[in-house]
Amino acid sequence: MKKVIITGSSRNDGDTKTLTNELLKKSNWDIIDLNDYNFGYYDYEHKYENDDYIKLMRKIIDKYDTLIFATPVYWYSMSGIMKVFFDRITDLLEIEKDLGRKLRGKNMAGISCSIGNNLGDVFWLPFSETAKYLGMNYIGSLHTITEEINELELEKFISKVGK
């Protein structure tokens, strides 16, 4: 099964990048950086000029069985770009229903990083509940501390998700 890390951070060279680089060294997963794409906020009227979201989702859904979301923790939540990405999943339920149905049976996992170890399980609720709503299998998550990446925990996460 093909796996992809979908990373969303305000910086292309920050702590989330360091984390995903470690994951890439230890796995044969692909990576998609949301900063490489142009997509806007969810719009009830679905007016998206020059928007890459549906094209990106077609690529992800057609090519990958497991989606691993990587995000820094910003104010006890996922990054802004990751939140916009998740909000736009609504398009797959309203205007691209056939595409959205293809998410059923796929796997989802999450990995985060921050400067502290104060992340509760509530952080993962948008990920696990979105997976459940879409008929995906939520594999689990891992939180890492910036500049203290635990190699053993990273290996366990990779093993859980599957190489």
Side-chain angles (χ1 to χ4, degrees), residues 19 22-29 111 142 144 149-163:
L19 173 60
E22 286 299 312
L23 282 169
L24 292 173
K25 280 189 228 174
K26 298 175 183 305
S27 69
N28 61 348
W29 303 342
I111 191 162
L142 173 67
T144 63
I149 295 174
N150 183 317
E151 296 295 325
L152 181 59
E153 291 296 317
L154 207 56
E155 289 289 344
K156 284 183 193 176
F157 178 79
I158 291 168
S159 180
K160 185 191 303 189
V161 172
K163 288 187 181 188

Side-chain angles (χ1 to χ4, degrees), residues 107-119:
N107 302 308
M108 182 193 294
I111 191 162
S112 64
C113 60
S114 72
I115 60 171
N117 195 16
N118 57 355
L119 188 67

